[in-house]
Short mmCIF file of all heavy atoms in Angstrom, two decimals:
data_model
loop_
_atom_site.label_atom_id
_atom_site.label_comp_id
_atom_site.label_asym_id
_atom_site.label_seq_id
_atom_site.Cartn_x
_atom_site.Cartn_y
_atom_site.Cartn_z
N MET A 4 125.61 67.55 109.73
CA MET A 4 125.59 68.81 108.92
C MET A 4 124.85 69.86 109.77
O MET A 4 123.83 69.66 110.34
CB MET A 4 124.84 68.56 107.61
CG MET A 4 124.87 69.79 106.69
SD MET A 4 124.36 69.24 105.05
CE MET A 4 123.64 70.67 104.49
N ALA A 5 125.35 71.14 109.70
CA ALA A 5 124.77 72.25 110.47
C ALA A 5 123.50 72.80 109.83
O ALA A 5 123.37 72.74 108.61
CB ALA A 5 125.82 73.37 110.55
N ASP A 6 122.64 73.27 110.67
CA ASP A 6 121.40 73.89 110.18
C ASP A 6 121.73 75.17 109.49
O ASP A 6 122.41 76.02 110.00
CB ASP A 6 120.55 74.20 111.47
CG ASP A 6 119.10 74.68 111.01
OD1 ASP A 6 118.92 75.04 109.87
OD2 ASP A 6 118.21 74.72 111.93
N PRO A 7 121.25 75.37 108.18
CA PRO A 7 121.58 76.55 107.43
C PRO A 7 120.88 77.84 107.88
O PRO A 7 121.29 78.93 107.60
CB PRO A 7 121.15 76.21 105.97
CG PRO A 7 120.15 75.18 106.19
CD PRO A 7 120.49 74.39 107.44
N SER A 8 119.82 77.70 108.68
CA SER A 8 119.16 78.88 109.11
C SER A 8 119.89 79.48 110.27
O SER A 8 120.30 78.74 111.18
CB SER A 8 117.63 78.63 109.45
OG SER A 8 117.61 77.66 110.52
N PRO A 9 120.05 80.80 110.31
CA PRO A 9 120.89 81.46 111.37
C PRO A 9 120.34 81.21 112.76
O PRO A 9 121.08 81.04 113.69
CB PRO A 9 120.85 82.91 111.02
CG PRO A 9 120.08 83.10 109.79
CD PRO A 9 119.58 81.74 109.37
N SER A 10 119.03 81.15 112.97
CA SER A 10 118.50 81.00 114.35
C SER A 10 118.19 79.59 114.65
O SER A 10 117.76 79.29 115.73
CB SER A 10 117.25 81.87 114.41
OG SER A 10 116.24 81.31 113.57
N GLY A 11 118.30 78.69 113.63
CA GLY A 11 117.96 77.32 113.85
C GLY A 11 116.43 77.08 113.71
O GLY A 11 116.00 76.05 113.97
N ALA A 12 115.73 78.11 113.31
CA ALA A 12 114.25 78.03 113.24
C ALA A 12 113.89 77.30 111.95
O ALA A 12 114.65 77.21 110.98
CB ALA A 12 113.63 79.43 113.19
N ASP A 13 112.75 76.77 111.92
CA ASP A 13 112.22 76.09 110.73
C ASP A 13 112.07 77.05 109.60
O ASP A 13 111.75 78.22 109.78
CB ASP A 13 110.82 75.48 111.07
CG ASP A 13 110.30 74.57 110.00
OD1 ASP A 13 110.17 75.17 108.90
OD2 ASP A 13 110.08 73.44 110.23
N ALA A 14 112.39 76.66 108.36
CA ALA A 14 112.28 77.52 107.19
C ALA A 14 110.85 78.03 106.88
O ALA A 14 110.69 78.99 106.13
CB ALA A 14 112.93 76.84 105.98
N THR A 15 109.90 77.30 107.35
CA THR A 15 108.44 77.67 107.07
C THR A 15 107.95 78.51 108.16
O THR A 15 107.12 78.08 109.02
CB THR A 15 107.59 76.41 106.82
OG1 THR A 15 107.74 75.62 108.02
CG2 THR A 15 108.04 75.66 105.63
N VAL A 16 108.36 79.76 108.24
CA VAL A 16 107.94 80.71 109.32
C VAL A 16 106.59 81.34 108.88
O VAL A 16 106.44 81.77 107.76
CB VAL A 16 108.99 81.81 109.53
CG1 VAL A 16 108.51 82.83 110.56
CG2 VAL A 16 110.33 81.17 109.96
N GLU A 17 105.67 81.35 109.80
CA GLU A 17 104.39 82.00 109.55
C GLU A 17 104.59 83.53 109.45
O GLU A 17 105.22 84.12 110.29
CB GLU A 17 103.39 81.64 110.67
CG GLU A 17 102.02 82.13 110.38
CD GLU A 17 101.03 81.62 111.48
OE1 GLU A 17 101.23 80.59 112.03
OE2 GLU A 17 100.08 82.40 111.75
N ARG A 18 104.02 84.08 108.40
CA ARG A 18 104.11 85.56 108.20
C ARG A 18 103.06 86.28 109.01
O ARG A 18 101.89 85.89 108.96
CB ARG A 18 104.02 85.88 106.70
CG ARG A 18 105.20 85.20 105.95
CD ARG A 18 105.11 85.68 104.49
NE ARG A 18 106.15 84.99 103.76
CZ ARG A 18 107.34 85.60 103.40
NH1 ARG A 18 107.59 86.78 103.74
NH2 ARG A 18 108.20 84.88 102.71
N ASP A 19 103.44 87.38 109.59
CA ASP A 19 102.57 88.19 110.31
C ASP A 19 101.73 89.09 109.33
O ASP A 19 102.33 89.85 108.57
CB ASP A 19 103.26 89.09 111.27
CG ASP A 19 102.43 89.91 112.18
OD1 ASP A 19 101.38 90.40 111.74
OD2 ASP A 19 102.81 90.07 113.36
N PRO A 20 100.40 89.00 109.30
CA PRO A 20 99.63 89.83 108.31
C PRO A 20 99.81 91.34 108.49
O PRO A 20 99.76 92.01 107.48
CB PRO A 20 98.21 89.37 108.53
CG PRO A 20 98.22 88.62 109.80
CD PRO A 20 99.56 88.17 110.16
N VAL A 21 100.03 91.77 109.69
CA VAL A 21 100.28 93.22 109.89
C VAL A 21 101.58 93.64 109.26
O VAL A 21 101.58 94.72 108.56
CB VAL A 21 100.21 93.50 111.37
CG1 VAL A 21 100.55 95.01 111.66
CG2 VAL A 21 98.84 93.20 111.99
N ILE A 22 102.62 92.91 109.47
CA ILE A 22 103.90 93.23 108.88
C ILE A 22 103.79 93.19 107.32
O ILE A 22 104.32 94.03 106.63
CB ILE A 22 104.99 92.34 109.38
CG1 ILE A 22 105.24 92.57 110.88
CG2 ILE A 22 106.29 92.44 108.59
CD1 ILE A 22 106.20 91.69 111.61
N GLU A 23 103.15 92.16 106.82
CA GLU A 23 102.96 92.05 105.40
C GLU A 23 102.23 93.21 104.81
O GLU A 23 102.55 93.68 103.73
CB GLU A 23 102.29 90.71 105.01
CG GLU A 23 103.07 89.45 105.33
CD GLU A 23 104.50 89.48 104.68
OE1 GLU A 23 104.59 89.71 103.53
OE2 GLU A 23 105.46 89.19 105.43
N ALA A 24 101.19 93.69 105.52
CA ALA A 24 100.45 94.89 105.07
C ALA A 24 101.32 96.13 105.03
O ALA A 24 101.26 96.92 104.04
CB ALA A 24 99.30 95.14 105.97
N TYR A 25 102.18 96.31 106.01
CA TYR A 25 103.12 97.45 105.99
C TYR A 25 104.12 97.28 104.84
O TYR A 25 104.49 98.28 104.16
CB TYR A 25 103.85 97.54 107.30
CG TYR A 25 103.12 98.34 108.37
CD1 TYR A 25 102.53 97.71 109.44
CD2 TYR A 25 103.02 99.70 108.30
CE1 TYR A 25 101.84 98.35 110.41
CE2 TYR A 25 102.33 100.43 109.27
CZ TYR A 25 101.76 99.72 110.33
OH TYR A 25 101.04 100.45 111.30
N LYS A 26 104.61 96.06 104.60
CA LYS A 26 105.60 95.87 103.58
C LYS A 26 105.08 96.31 102.13
O LYS A 26 105.83 96.76 101.35
CB LYS A 26 106.14 94.43 103.56
CG LYS A 26 107.07 94.15 104.73
CD LYS A 26 107.31 92.69 104.97
CE LYS A 26 107.87 91.95 103.84
NZ LYS A 26 108.26 90.54 104.20
N ARG A 27 103.73 96.05 101.97
CA ARG A 27 103.22 96.41 100.67
C ARG A 27 103.30 97.89 100.41
O ARG A 27 103.31 98.30 99.26
CB ARG A 27 101.75 95.94 100.55
CG ARG A 27 101.61 94.43 100.33
CD ARG A 27 100.21 94.05 99.91
NE ARG A 27 99.26 94.31 100.99
CZ ARG A 27 98.91 93.48 101.97
NH1 ARG A 27 99.49 92.33 102.02
NH2 ARG A 27 98.07 93.78 102.89
N GLY A 28 103.33 98.67 101.49
CA GLY A 28 103.35 100.17 101.32
C GLY A 28 104.73 100.74 101.19
O GLY A 28 104.93 101.94 101.10
N LEU A 29 105.79 99.87 101.20
CA LEU A 29 107.16 100.34 101.14
C LEU A 29 107.57 100.54 99.68
O LEU A 29 107.35 99.74 98.88
CB LEU A 29 108.14 99.39 101.81
CG LEU A 29 108.04 99.20 103.30
CD1 LEU A 29 109.01 98.15 103.75
CD2 LEU A 29 108.31 100.51 104.02
N ASP A 30 108.30 101.67 99.44
CA ASP A 30 108.92 101.86 98.11
C ASP A 30 110.34 101.43 98.21
O ASP A 30 111.20 102.18 98.72
CB ASP A 30 108.81 103.38 97.79
CG ASP A 30 109.29 103.69 96.39
OD1 ASP A 30 109.96 102.77 95.76
OD2 ASP A 30 108.92 104.74 95.79
N LEU A 31 110.58 100.20 97.74
CA LEU A 31 111.91 99.62 97.92
C LEU A 31 112.95 100.40 97.02
O LEU A 31 114.15 100.42 97.37
CB LEU A 31 111.90 98.17 97.55
CG LEU A 31 111.11 97.29 98.51
CD1 LEU A 31 111.11 95.85 98.00
CD2 LEU A 31 111.60 97.39 99.94
N SER A 32 112.46 101.03 95.99
CA SER A 32 113.40 101.82 95.16
C SER A 32 114.02 102.97 95.89
O SER A 32 115.23 103.25 95.75
CB SER A 32 112.76 102.30 93.88
OG SER A 32 111.75 103.28 94.16
N LEU A 33 113.22 103.56 96.84
CA LEU A 33 113.78 104.68 97.61
C LEU A 33 114.79 104.17 98.61
O LEU A 33 115.83 104.78 98.88
CB LEU A 33 112.65 105.40 98.31
CG LEU A 33 111.67 106.18 97.46
CD1 LEU A 33 110.56 106.74 98.36
CD2 LEU A 33 112.42 107.28 96.75
N LEU A 34 114.47 103.01 99.20
CA LEU A 34 115.49 102.40 100.11
C LEU A 34 116.77 102.03 99.38
O LEU A 34 117.89 102.31 99.88
CB LEU A 34 114.92 101.13 100.77
CG LEU A 34 113.69 101.34 101.69
CD1 LEU A 34 113.11 100.07 102.16
CD2 LEU A 34 114.17 102.16 102.89
N ARG A 35 116.64 101.46 98.23
CA ARG A 35 117.87 101.05 97.48
C ARG A 35 118.68 102.30 97.16
O ARG A 35 119.90 102.29 97.25
CB ARG A 35 117.47 100.33 96.19
CG ARG A 35 116.98 98.89 96.55
CD ARG A 35 116.69 98.14 95.24
NE ARG A 35 116.05 96.88 95.54
CZ ARG A 35 114.72 96.66 95.31
NH1 ARG A 35 113.97 97.58 94.79
NH2 ARG A 35 114.16 95.53 95.68
N GLU A 36 118.00 103.38 96.65
CA GLU A 36 118.73 104.62 96.31
C GLU A 36 119.46 105.15 97.56
O GLU A 36 120.57 105.65 97.45
CB GLU A 36 117.80 105.68 95.70
CG GLU A 36 117.38 105.37 94.28
CD GLU A 36 118.53 105.22 93.34
OE1 GLU A 36 119.37 106.12 93.34
OE2 GLU A 36 118.57 104.24 92.55
N ASN A 37 118.79 105.16 98.73
CA ASN A 37 119.37 105.76 99.89
C ASN A 37 120.61 104.88 100.28
O ASN A 37 121.62 105.42 100.77
CB ASN A 37 118.38 105.77 101.03
CG ASN A 37 118.81 106.74 102.09
OD1 ASN A 37 119.30 107.83 101.86
ND2 ASN A 37 118.65 106.29 103.36
N LEU A 38 120.50 103.57 100.08
CA LEU A 38 121.62 102.69 100.50
C LEU A 38 122.83 102.85 99.57
O LEU A 38 123.94 102.44 99.90
CB LEU A 38 121.16 101.23 100.58
CG LEU A 38 120.28 100.96 101.79
CD1 LEU A 38 119.72 99.55 101.69
CD2 LEU A 38 120.98 101.18 103.08
N LYS A 39 122.69 103.41 98.39
CA LYS A 39 123.77 103.68 97.53
C LYS A 39 124.59 104.87 97.95
O LYS A 39 125.72 105.03 97.60
CB LYS A 39 123.26 104.02 96.08
CG LYS A 39 122.66 102.81 95.35
CD LYS A 39 122.14 103.25 93.97
CE LYS A 39 121.43 102.08 93.32
NZ LYS A 39 120.89 102.54 91.98
N LYS A 40 124.01 105.71 98.83
CA LYS A 40 124.77 106.85 99.36
C LYS A 40 125.72 106.48 100.46
O LYS A 40 125.49 105.41 101.12
CB LYS A 40 123.76 107.88 99.95
CG LYS A 40 122.76 108.46 98.97
CD LYS A 40 121.78 109.37 99.64
CE LYS A 40 120.73 109.86 98.64
NZ LYS A 40 119.72 110.66 99.37
N THR A 41 126.69 107.30 100.63
CA THR A 41 127.64 107.07 101.79
C THR A 41 126.94 107.47 103.06
O THR A 41 125.92 108.19 103.02
CB THR A 41 128.92 107.91 101.60
OG1 THR A 41 128.52 109.28 101.76
CG2 THR A 41 129.64 107.69 100.28
N PRO A 42 127.45 106.97 104.21
CA PRO A 42 126.82 107.45 105.49
C PRO A 42 126.80 108.95 105.62
O PRO A 42 125.85 109.51 106.05
CB PRO A 42 127.69 106.76 106.50
CG PRO A 42 128.22 105.53 105.85
CD PRO A 42 128.45 105.92 104.42
N THR A 43 127.84 109.63 105.16
CA THR A 43 127.93 111.07 105.20
C THR A 43 126.80 111.72 104.37
O THR A 43 126.12 112.66 104.76
CB THR A 43 129.30 111.61 104.77
OG1 THR A 43 130.30 111.03 105.64
CG2 THR A 43 129.42 113.12 104.83
N GLU A 44 126.62 111.20 103.19
CA GLU A 44 125.56 111.74 102.32
C GLU A 44 124.21 111.50 102.93
O GLU A 44 123.32 112.35 102.82
CB GLU A 44 125.58 111.01 100.93
CG GLU A 44 126.80 111.41 100.12
CD GLU A 44 127.00 110.63 98.82
OE1 GLU A 44 126.63 109.38 98.93
OE2 GLU A 44 127.51 111.11 97.89
N ARG A 45 123.97 110.35 103.55
CA ARG A 45 122.70 110.05 104.29
C ARG A 45 122.49 111.05 105.45
O ARG A 45 121.36 111.53 105.60
CB ARG A 45 122.69 108.66 104.74
CG ARG A 45 122.46 107.63 103.69
CD ARG A 45 122.30 106.22 104.22
NE ARG A 45 123.34 105.46 103.54
CZ ARG A 45 123.76 104.32 103.98
NH1 ARG A 45 123.32 103.80 105.09
NH2 ARG A 45 124.59 103.63 103.28
N VAL A 46 123.49 111.32 106.21
CA VAL A 46 123.31 112.30 107.36
C VAL A 46 123.02 113.66 106.73
O VAL A 46 122.14 114.41 107.30
CB VAL A 46 124.65 112.31 108.17
CG1 VAL A 46 124.59 113.48 109.13
CG2 VAL A 46 124.79 110.97 108.92
N LYS A 47 123.67 114.11 105.70
CA LYS A 47 123.45 115.41 105.13
C LYS A 47 121.99 115.50 104.60
O LYS A 47 121.31 116.52 104.73
CB LYS A 47 124.38 115.72 103.97
CG LYS A 47 125.85 116.01 104.43
CD LYS A 47 126.74 116.34 103.20
CE LYS A 47 128.15 116.66 103.80
NZ LYS A 47 129.03 116.92 102.67
N ALA A 48 121.52 114.43 103.96
CA ALA A 48 120.12 114.43 103.46
C ALA A 48 119.19 114.48 104.68
O ALA A 48 118.14 115.21 104.62
CB ALA A 48 119.86 113.14 102.69
N LEU A 49 119.48 113.78 105.79
CA LEU A 49 118.61 113.85 106.95
C LEU A 49 118.66 115.26 107.51
O LEU A 49 117.57 115.74 107.94
CB LEU A 49 119.11 112.87 107.98
CG LEU A 49 118.34 112.76 109.30
CD1 LEU A 49 116.83 112.45 109.07
CD2 LEU A 49 118.95 111.79 110.23
N MET A 50 119.79 115.92 107.57
CA MET A 50 119.89 117.27 108.07
C MET A 50 118.99 118.28 107.19
O MET A 50 118.33 119.14 107.76
CB MET A 50 121.33 117.73 108.13
CG MET A 50 122.09 116.99 109.20
SD MET A 50 123.86 117.28 109.16
CE MET A 50 124.00 118.98 109.40
N GLU A 51 118.97 118.03 105.89
CA GLU A 51 118.20 118.85 105.00
C GLU A 51 116.75 118.62 105.30
O GLU A 51 115.98 119.59 105.31
CB GLU A 51 118.52 118.57 103.55
CG GLU A 51 119.85 119.09 103.06
CD GLU A 51 119.82 120.66 103.06
OE1 GLU A 51 118.78 121.25 102.65
OE2 GLU A 51 120.85 121.24 103.45
N LEU A 52 116.35 117.38 105.53
CA LEU A 52 114.96 117.05 105.86
C LEU A 52 114.56 117.75 107.17
O LEU A 52 113.43 118.27 107.30
CB LEU A 52 114.81 115.56 105.92
CG LEU A 52 113.37 115.08 106.19
CD1 LEU A 52 112.39 115.55 105.13
CD2 LEU A 52 113.40 113.49 106.31
N GLN A 53 115.39 117.71 108.13
CA GLN A 53 115.17 118.36 109.40
C GLN A 53 114.98 119.84 109.19
O GLN A 53 114.10 120.50 109.84
CB GLN A 53 116.28 118.14 110.43
CG GLN A 53 116.29 116.71 110.95
CD GLN A 53 115.08 116.44 111.76
OE1 GLN A 53 114.26 115.65 111.38
NE2 GLN A 53 114.96 117.03 112.91
N ARG A 54 115.83 120.49 108.39
CA ARG A 54 115.61 121.98 108.07
C ARG A 54 114.24 122.26 107.43
O ARG A 54 113.59 123.19 107.76
CB ARG A 54 116.81 122.44 107.19
CG ARG A 54 118.05 122.76 107.95
CD ARG A 54 119.04 123.53 107.11
NE ARG A 54 119.80 122.71 106.23
CZ ARG A 54 120.98 122.11 106.66
NH1 ARG A 54 121.40 122.22 107.87
NH2 ARG A 54 121.65 121.35 105.84
N LEU A 55 113.87 121.36 106.48
CA LEU A 55 112.60 121.48 105.85
C LEU A 55 111.47 121.37 106.83
O LEU A 55 110.51 122.17 106.81
CB LEU A 55 112.48 120.45 104.71
CG LEU A 55 111.06 120.44 103.99
CD1 LEU A 55 110.86 121.69 103.22
CD2 LEU A 55 111.04 119.19 103.09
N ALA A 56 111.56 120.38 107.73
CA ALA A 56 110.55 120.19 108.71
C ALA A 56 110.47 121.45 109.68
O ALA A 56 109.31 121.86 110.01
CB ALA A 56 110.83 118.97 109.53
N GLU A 57 111.55 121.94 110.08
CA GLU A 57 111.56 123.15 110.93
C GLU A 57 110.95 124.38 110.20
O GLU A 57 110.19 125.13 110.80
CB GLU A 57 112.91 123.48 111.40
CG GLU A 57 112.99 124.67 112.34
CD GLU A 57 112.04 124.61 113.52
OE1 GLU A 57 111.87 123.56 114.10
OE2 GLU A 57 111.42 125.65 113.85
N GLU A 58 111.24 124.50 108.93
CA GLU A 58 110.67 125.64 108.16
C GLU A 58 109.15 125.44 108.01
O GLU A 58 108.34 126.40 108.11
CB GLU A 58 111.33 125.69 106.78
CG GLU A 58 110.79 126.78 105.91
CD GLU A 58 110.91 128.16 106.40
OE1 GLU A 58 111.81 128.42 107.21
OE2 GLU A 58 110.18 129.08 106.01
N ALA A 59 108.69 124.22 107.86
CA ALA A 59 107.27 123.95 107.76
C ALA A 59 106.58 124.29 109.05
O ALA A 59 105.43 124.86 109.07
CB ALA A 59 106.98 122.51 107.34
N ARG A 60 107.25 123.87 110.14
CA ARG A 60 106.62 124.22 111.48
C ARG A 60 106.52 125.74 111.69
O ARG A 60 105.56 126.33 112.17
CB ARG A 60 107.51 123.63 112.62
CG ARG A 60 107.19 122.14 112.82
CD ARG A 60 107.82 121.58 114.06
NE ARG A 60 109.30 121.58 113.98
CZ ARG A 60 109.99 120.60 113.50
NH1 ARG A 60 109.34 119.46 113.03
NH2 ARG A 60 111.32 120.55 113.46
N ARG A 61 107.63 126.45 111.29
CA ARG A 61 107.67 127.86 111.41
C ARG A 61 106.55 128.53 110.63
O ARG A 61 105.85 129.43 111.05
CB ARG A 61 108.99 128.47 110.99
CG ARG A 61 109.18 129.99 111.25
CD ARG A 61 110.38 130.57 110.54
NE ARG A 61 110.22 130.51 109.10
CZ ARG A 61 109.29 131.25 108.38
NH1 ARG A 61 108.55 132.13 108.98
NH2 ARG A 61 109.22 131.17 107.10
N ALA A 62 106.43 128.08 109.39
CA ALA A 62 105.42 128.63 108.52
C ALA A 62 103.98 128.38 109.03
O ALA A 62 103.06 129.19 108.95
CB ALA A 62 105.52 128.03 107.05
N GLY A 63 103.77 127.18 109.61
CA GLY A 63 102.51 126.88 110.26
C GLY A 63 102.19 127.84 111.41
O GLY A 63 101.06 128.30 111.58
N ARG A 64 103.20 128.12 112.23
CA ARG A 64 103.01 129.08 113.35
C ARG A 64 102.65 130.44 112.80
O ARG A 64 101.71 131.06 113.31
CB ARG A 64 104.26 129.15 114.21
CG ARG A 64 104.49 127.91 115.10
CD ARG A 64 105.58 128.13 116.12
NE ARG A 64 106.89 128.40 115.52
CZ ARG A 64 107.77 127.40 115.19
NH1 ARG A 64 107.47 126.16 115.47
NH2 ARG A 64 108.96 127.80 114.72
N VAL A 65 103.35 130.94 111.74
CA VAL A 65 103.03 132.24 111.20
C VAL A 65 101.61 132.24 110.62
O VAL A 65 100.89 133.17 110.85
CB VAL A 65 104.07 132.57 110.08
CG1 VAL A 65 103.63 133.76 109.29
CG2 VAL A 65 105.44 132.83 110.71
N ALA A 66 101.26 131.12 109.93
CA ALA A 66 99.86 131.07 109.34
C ALA A 66 98.80 131.07 110.42
O ALA A 66 97.71 131.74 110.27
CB ALA A 66 99.78 129.85 108.49
N ARG A 67 99.05 130.42 111.52
CA ARG A 67 98.04 130.36 112.57
C ARG A 67 97.90 131.72 113.29
O ARG A 67 96.82 132.14 113.66
CB ARG A 67 98.36 129.31 113.62
CG ARG A 67 98.07 127.92 113.17
CD ARG A 67 98.18 126.88 114.21
NE ARG A 67 99.55 126.77 114.76
CZ ARG A 67 100.52 126.00 114.20
NH1 ARG A 67 100.27 125.29 113.13
NH2 ARG A 67 101.75 125.94 114.74
N ARG A 68 98.97 132.50 113.35
CA ARG A 68 98.92 133.83 113.91
C ARG A 68 98.15 134.81 113.11
O ARG A 68 97.55 135.75 113.61
CB ARG A 68 100.29 134.36 114.24
CG ARG A 68 100.92 133.84 115.47
CD ARG A 68 102.22 134.45 115.73
NE ARG A 68 103.18 133.84 114.89
CZ ARG A 68 104.50 133.98 114.86
NH1 ARG A 68 105.02 134.96 115.60
NH2 ARG A 68 105.29 133.28 114.11
N SER A 69 98.20 134.58 111.82
CA SER A 69 97.58 135.55 110.88
C SER A 69 96.05 135.28 110.69
O SER A 69 95.39 136.01 110.03
CB SER A 69 98.23 135.59 109.54
OG SER A 69 98.12 134.29 108.91
N ASP A 70 95.58 134.19 111.26
CA ASP A 70 94.10 133.92 111.13
C ASP A 70 93.24 134.82 111.92
O ASP A 70 93.42 135.36 112.86
CB ASP A 70 93.84 132.40 111.60
CG ASP A 70 94.34 131.47 110.48
OD1 ASP A 70 94.52 131.81 109.37
OD2 ASP A 70 94.46 130.25 110.86
#
């Protein structure tokens, strides 16, 4: 009978505490919602985020000049 694990590794893999700490901070509901979108919708959302980031950078430059 073939080994059911894809890598052939033992099923009792030791968990990395650093990775586990990061996983506790993930909001899985946001990941699930994003995965419901089509690839095109995800790209559009990313483009909107990039526009927001650029506007924030621009506003920061203006604010620093006025100090």
Side-chain angles (χ1 to χ4, degrees):
M4 184 167 151
D6 187 346
S8 62
S10 67
D13 188 299
T15 57
V16 176
E17 186 175 328
R18 296 185 185 259
D19 185 322
V21 174
I22 292 173
E23 294 304 312
Y25 275 106
K26 285 169 56 175
R27 282 193 297 271
L29 292 178
D30 185 343
L31 296 179
S32 67
L33 293 175
L34 293 173
R35 288 184 190 105
E36 286 302 312
N37 199 42
L38 289 172
K39 289 179 185 178
K40 297 176 184 175
T41 66
T43 301
E44 291 170 329
R45 285 184 234 160
V46 169
K47 286 180 179 179
L49 180 58
M50 291 169 63
E51 285 296 318
L52 183 58
Q53 286 296 109
R54 279 194 274 276
L55 176 65
E57 181 52 40
E58 179 61 24
R60 283 190 290 273
R61 187 196 63 73
R64 286 191 297 269
V65 169
R67 284 189 297 275
R68 279 185 279 184
S69 66
D70 284 344

